[in-house]
Amino acid sequence: MLAFIIRRLLQSILVMLTVGLIAFALFRFVGDPINNMVGQDTSLADRAALRESLGLNDPFLVQYGNYLINAVQGQFGISYQQRRPVADLLVERLPATLELSLVAAVLALLVGVPMGVYTGLRREGFLSKVFLVVSLIGISLPTFLIGILLILVFGVMLQWLPTFGRGEVVDLGGWTTGMLTASGIKALIMPSITLALFQMTLIMRLVRSEMLEVLRTDYIKFARARGLTNRAVNFGHALKNTMVPVITITGLQLGSIIAFAIITESVFQWPGMGLLFIQAINEVDIPVMASYLILIAFFFVTINLIVDLLYYAVDPRLRVDKLVAGGHGS
Amino acid sequence: MRVRGVLAGILTLVVALCVGLPIEARTFRVAFERDVASMDPYVRTGSHASAFHHNIYEPLVRYDAQLEIEPALAARWRTVNPVTWHFELRRGVRFHDGNVFDADDVLFSFARVRAEGSDVAGFVESIKQIRKLDSYTLEVVTKAPDPTLLNALAHWYIMDREWAREKGAEQPAEPTGPRSNHALLHANGTGPFRLGERRPGVRTILEPNPDWWDEPRHNLDRVIVTPIESAQKRTEALLSGKLSLTLPLLSRDIERIDRAEGLRVLRGPDLRTVFLGMDQFRDHLLYADVEDANPFQDRRVRRAIYQAIDVEAIRREVMGGASRPTGLLIGPGVSGYREMVDRRMPYDPERARALLAEAGYAQGFGITLDCPQGRYVNDVQICTAVAGMLLEVGIRVTPAVHDTRKFFKKLLNGDVSFYLLGWTPGDLDAGSVVRDLLVPPHEGGLDWNAGRFGNREITRLSRRIDGEVDIAKRQAMIDQCFRIMHEEAGYIPLHQQALAWGVRDGVDLAQRPDNALHYWTVRME
């Protein structure tokens, strides 16, 4: 068990280091940060001095190495643009991203699971067909397009919902939330639907296929033979057994929701970490870009690790397999 | 019973959401392309931040709506001799936290603006020293006679000594600095607005300063500033009724906003001049198919290109009529601009072909035109149009489009042969344009003169312009420099683009040609 965890931890660190390495290798192609930091009247000598003092003349491996040395000590650098610690910037923007991601995840579950159950039970029903078509749209249309359509209809034409920002937020000791004000909740509606749609359809299709699978099994037949009510059979026995893979997938998807929130954030100008990253790209703010990418890698790696550990705890077969196979990466 | 209670609650919430909260009285909501990087008036780049900080902090003298100098924190001034100025400070001015403004604050600000980490030290570069004669009188001594001292002072905002000391912000934060600085997120100025809320990159709220020394023209209760990078999203936000004003607009959105109910487009001339530059320095062009020479070193070729470009057609077809063709690198509003010098060579493709043949390029040549994307109004379309026009006279232009960051990097490295650039002088003075763009970098010009255009006479005059206090003499020299540029076709000026601000009906404000929006000029119904 301990060896497994240590192995996975080492793999996780390797993933993060690789992400950082690729990121730093690419930064050279983004442009010159100096032009965004000084006015047009700044002399070439001053520009050169600034470039030197920021270490931008070093080979990228050296830059990366310096970044890592500082990062290990908890220093993620100073934003070129804002001249404030990058960690502060990320912490300021974290609540917006997490709030959006969690609301989207809950929304995806609350809508996706019932839809999946319904389409699983009433395969031939008219509504089921509608749901399936809708889910096809949800899976095949890119997120940003859905967001743009929502903005056009509900923002520009009907003018019901704001097209940008978080509305009024309440500061709860360092954690900002938009859930406590009307304008905050209004601002949350379109972005969370946009972000949830793909996951929702994914969950719906997953629940549906699992339901179909489970409903064919013997113990459901026996349950029916015992004369249990439909409700007890469908929800008490069938749904419960479909939940294990659903929870796993949802957990894994949480990482990608947080990471892909960047698209939704940019469409709705949602001031989370993704938007911070996009702003940083425009300003060639290398410390911000690097820290965001590594932080996202960290989220992914951590969530995967937790899911793996849960698997390990829940499923005894995995432990046996590992012993027999001598371990393999999953 | 409980279900009904929950239902009633949800219903109330839905109704509340649909109706929305009553909009606060006169909140001015505005969205710009990018956020101001910091609240510290000495940590900034560019005119956008300068215009924003001016709402909170104030200079000794300021520009009025016609871009003429008027008193601000200095009530009056006089020149004692060509290098000595006496400024009498305004009495009874208080900073937002109640501290009294006096000469010590100016002295402190002078030290702070020249400290490591300040980006605006250039504006006080010509000042040798500032002496306090009494609490409200200052003596400013310049290194040499400086005719543009007041223009420069208008960009230097005064900070509060006591506040900066107390908060540990005596120096601006450095980009490599170890920790945060109070002045990056907080502000304490003398201006018409105080900082209400600051969320970097998210939004900034300003509230009126009830104790402002000047008569406020505005009637606002609150200003909310949001950065929205994409022009399309800014337009959407304006159309959705959530903004009072946004700028800049894309040309393609102008008509849409004009047609929309309750919105209008404010148009006006922009100070920025867009022009073409050519590498006249290298013996071989980097990006041309001419093997043994640099055609741009031949004045006939430069004039041929000049005369082959139909700038009226660009105005009509590319800019939708919203540009002002020019023969200079400055437009009306920049001090030192004179209508009578602003002449263009006529559009004459026949003459252009003849000039090219004379120069030995009857068959034309191939050249790459480097072009930024999204930096200037319709920049890429201008480059495409120029390519089409030059093809008529045999010059085969390949436009190379780069995003702004990469374009500027390439340009400043001199890694261009033929390029499109726009320029607004930081101090709104023609003298700095002569010095920065008409003098090659190795003789004191800026690297923005990427084609290294130079002329001995201009270089000589530019040194004299910098120290000439006689306005008429100075003007004559500036005119002369631009005449030489014109004769030599050292640059090919195209136009000043037009400003376009999208505004909600009921908003009344002064639109300045330098694109600076000052909230104290805004009135709302």
Side-chain angles (χ1 to χ4, degrees), chain A residues 82 84 88-97 164-169 176 265 268-273 275-276 279, chain B residues 30-32 34-37 39 185 197-205 224-229 243:
Chain A
Q82 296 196 20
R84 299 168 55 223
D88 291 5
L89 266 61
L90 288 170
V91 166
E92 274 168 17
R93 300 297 194 90
L94 187 66
T97 297
F164 67 96
R166 279 182 93 187
E168 294 290 330
V169 294
T176 56
E265 286 182 9
F268 290 95
Q269 289 292 305
W270 186 263
M273 291 187 302
L275 196 62
L276 179 72
Q279 287 164 345
Chain B
V30 47
F32 296 112
R34 54 182 51 184
D35 195 21
V36 175
M39 290 295 104
L185 290 179
E197 179 190 304
R198 169 67 179 162
R199 293 181 194 278
V202 182
R203 71 174 190 179
T204 308
I205 295 181
I224 304 181
V225 187
T226 314
I228 302 182
E229 193 211 322
L243 287 180

Side-chain angles (χ1 to χ4, degrees), chain A residues 108 111-112 115 131-140 196-207:
Chain A
V111 180
M115 269 165 74
F131 284 164
L132 282 175
V133 170
V134 169
S135 80
L136 204 62
I137 295 172
I139 282 202
S140 47
L197 206 58
F198 180 80
Q199 314 296 338
M200 192 193 291
T201 49
L202 190 74
I203 290 172
M204 179 198 131
R205 290 184 157 246
L206 186 73
V207 171

Side-chain angles (χ1 to χ4, degrees), chain B residues 202-219:
Chain B
V202 182
R203 71 174 190 179
T204 308
I205 295 181
L206 297 182
E207 286 153 2
N209 169 13
D211 305 319
W212 192 34
W213 56 270
D214 199 4
E215 193 63 41
R217 273 195 51 216
H218 74 88
N219 64 349

Side-chain angles (χ1 to χ4, degrees), chain A residues 83-146:
Chain A
R83 303 196 184 175
R84 299 168 55 223
V86 173
D88 291 5
L89 266 61
L90 288 170
V91 166
E92 274 168 17
R93 300 297 194 90
L94 187 66
T97 297
L98 286 189
E99 196 165 286
L100 177 64
S101 305
L102 288 178
V103 169
V106 170
L107 196 66
L109 272 179
L110 287 186
V111 180
V113 171
M115 269 165 74
V117 172
Y118 185 87
T119 48
L121 293 177
R122 305 244 166 96
R123 265 183 297 167
E124 300 303 320
F126 174 71
L127 208 54
S128 294
K129 298 231 160 83
V130 172
F131 284 164
L132 282 175
V133 170
V134 169
S135 80
L136 204 62
I137 295 172
I139 282 202
S140 47
L141 274 189
T143 315
F144 68 89
L145 195 63
I146 293 164

Side-chain angles (χ1 to χ4, degrees), chain A:
Chain A
M1 179 74 187
L2 193 67
F4 173 75
I5 293 175
I6 290 172
R7 201 165 54 235
R8 288 309 316 252
L9 275 174
L10 287 178
Q11 283 172 358
S12 304
I13 291 169
L14 197 66
V15 168
M16 287 169 63
L17 287 176
T18 314
V19 167
L21 185 72
I22 296 171
F24 269 87
L26 291 176
F27 288 156
R28 285 175 302 161
F29 303 107
V30 185
D32 186 0
I34 305 294
N35 290 327
N36 294 301
M37 298 172 69
V38 297
Q40 64 184 16
D41 307 316
T42 310
S43 72
L44 198 64
D46 288 348
R47 286 166 194 269
L50 185 57
R51 191 173 290 120
E52 186 63 40
S53 71
L54 291 174
L56 291 169
N57 291 331
D58 300 337
F60 83 89
L61 278 175
V62 175
Q63 290 187 35
Y64 181 40
N66 288 336
Y67 176 87
L68 282 183
I69 291 167
N70 288 327
V72 168
Q73 299 162 1
Q75 301 282 333
F76 294 95
I78 306 284
S79 157
Y80 291 168
Q81 271 302 304
Q82 296 196 20
R83 303 196 184 175
R84 299 168 55 223
V86 173
D88 291 5
L89 266 61
L90 288 170
V91 166
E92 274 168 17
R93 300 297 194 90
L94 187 66
T97 297
L98 286 189
E99 196 165 286
L100 177 64
S101 305
L102 288 178
V103 169
V106 170
L107 196 66
L109 272 179
L110 287 186
V111 180
V113 171
M115 269 165 74
V117 172
Y118 185 87
T119 48
L121 293 177
R122 305 244 166 96
R123 265 183 297 167
E124 300 303 320
F126 174 71
L127 208 54
S128 294
K129 298 231 160 83
V130 172
F131 284 164
L132 282 175
V133 170
V134 169
S135 80
L136 204 62
I137 295 172
I139 282 202
S140 47
L141 274 189
T143 315
F144 68 89
L145 195 63
I146 293 164
I148 289 170
L149 288 175
L150 286 177
I151 285 181
L152 195 65
V153 175
F154 295 100
V156 176
M157 284 157 73
L158 297 172
Q159 306 204 351
W160 288 353
L161 297 169
T163 60
F164 67 96
R166 279 182 93 187
E168 294 290 330
V169 294
V170 179
D171 201 332
L172 307 171
W175 183 273
T176 56
T177 177
M179 308 281 270
L180 298 176
T181 63
S183 71
I185 293 173
K186 266 169 96 169
L188 195 54
I189 295 174
M190 289 202 290
S192 56
I193 289 177
T194 307
L195 187 56
L197 206 58
F198 180 80
Q199 314 296 338
M200 192 193 291
T201 49
L202 190 74
I203 290 172
M204 179 198 131
R205 290 184 157 246
L206 186 73
V207 171
R208 176 173 177 272
S209 61
E210 287 290 325
M211 281 294 278
L212 292 177
E213 191 102 333
V214 171
L215 285 173
R216 275 202 298 270
T217 53
D218 288 341
Y219 71 88
I220 296 294
K221 286 183 190 143
F222 286 129
R224 292 205 194 284
R226 272 169 60 204
L228 292 179
T229 59
N230 270 340
R231 186 171 154 169
V233 174
N234 293 339
F235 294 96
H237 292 271
L239 182 62
K240 227 179 219 171
N241 278 296
T242 65
M243 278 296 105
V244 178
V246 170
I247 288 168
T248 318
I249 293 288
T250 315
L252 282 174
Q253 288 292 318
L254 193 62
S256 55
I257 289 185
I258 293 173
F260 292 124
I262 188 170
I263 298 168
T264 309
E265 286 182 9
S266 114
V267 170
F268 290 95
Q269 289 292 305
W270 186 263
M273 291 187 302
L275 196 62
L276 179 72
F277 178 65
I278 288 174
Q279 287 164 345
I281 294 177
N282 285 316
E283 311 284 4
V284 202
D285 204 336
I286 290 173
V288 176
M289 289 194 278
S291 303
Y292 170 81
L293 289 173
I294 292 176
L295 184 67
I296 289 296
F298 172 75
F299 277 139
F300 255 105
V301 163
T302 312
I303 290 170
N304 279 353
L305 184 64
I306 291 171
V307 170
D308 274 354
L309 291 178
L310 281 178
Y311 257 27
Y312 200 83
V314 166
D315 196 339
R317 286 172 300 180
L318 208 62
R319 265 169 277 176
V320 177
D321 281 353
K322 293 275 176 205
L323 285 176
V324 174
H328 59 82
S330 57

Side-chain angles (χ1 to χ4, degrees), chain B residues 201-357:
Chain B
V202 182
R203 71 174 190 179
T204 308
I205 295 181
L206 297 182
E207 286 153 2
N209 169 13
D211 305 319
W212 192 34
W213 56 270
D214 199 4
E215 193 63 41
R217 273 195 51 216
H218 74 88
N219 64 349
L220 308 178
D221 297 319
R222 211 150 83 113
V223 179
I224 304 181
V225 187
T226 314
I228 302 182
E229 193 211 322
S230 131
Q232 186 201 338
K233 306 220 162 297
R234 284 198 303 278
T235 302
E236 281 166 0
L238 185 69
L239 290 169
S240 73
K242 302 293 189 290
L243 287 180
S244 318
L245 179 148
T246 186
L247 67 99
L249 301 179
L250 287 185
S251 308
R252 64 157 193 261
D253 290 336
I254 288 180
E255 201 188 332
R256 193 173 166 202
I257 290 174
D258 250 345
R259 262 188 290 128
E261 185 102 0
L263 297 176
R264 66 185 199 282
V265 176
L266 275 185
R267 292 178 177 83
D270 189 344
L271 284 182
R272 180 179 274 153
T273 304
V274 176
F275 54 86
L276 298 170
M278 296 155 284
D279 180 354
Q280 298 153 56
F281 183 75
R282 289 190 177 85
D283 291 329
H284 309 280
L285 288 179
L286 294 176
Y287 302 103
D289 62 4
V290 183
E291 292 298 326
D292 47 353
N294 175 354
F296 288 145
Q297 284 179 339
D298 189 327
R299 186 175 74 167
R300 289 169 297 192
V301 174
R302 302 198 297 267
R303 296 182 84 148
I305 292 177
Y306 198 136
Q307 297 205 274
I309 292 172
D310 184 356
V311 79
E312 279 300 324
I314 292 179
R315 186 180 75 85
R316 220 171 39 238
E317 307 296 336
V318 177
M319 305 300 287
S323 73
R324 181 188 172 283
T326 183
L328 300 178
L329 299 187
I330 49 172
V334 173
S335 77
Y337 170 83
R338 288 219 294 173
E339 181 91 48
M340 54 172 284
V341 190
D342 193 357
R343 294 283 173 272
R344 281 187 62 84
M345 288 183 214
Y347 166 60
D348 188 347
E350 279 309 311
R351 175 92 184 114
R353 268 189 285 266
L355 281 167
L356 282 175

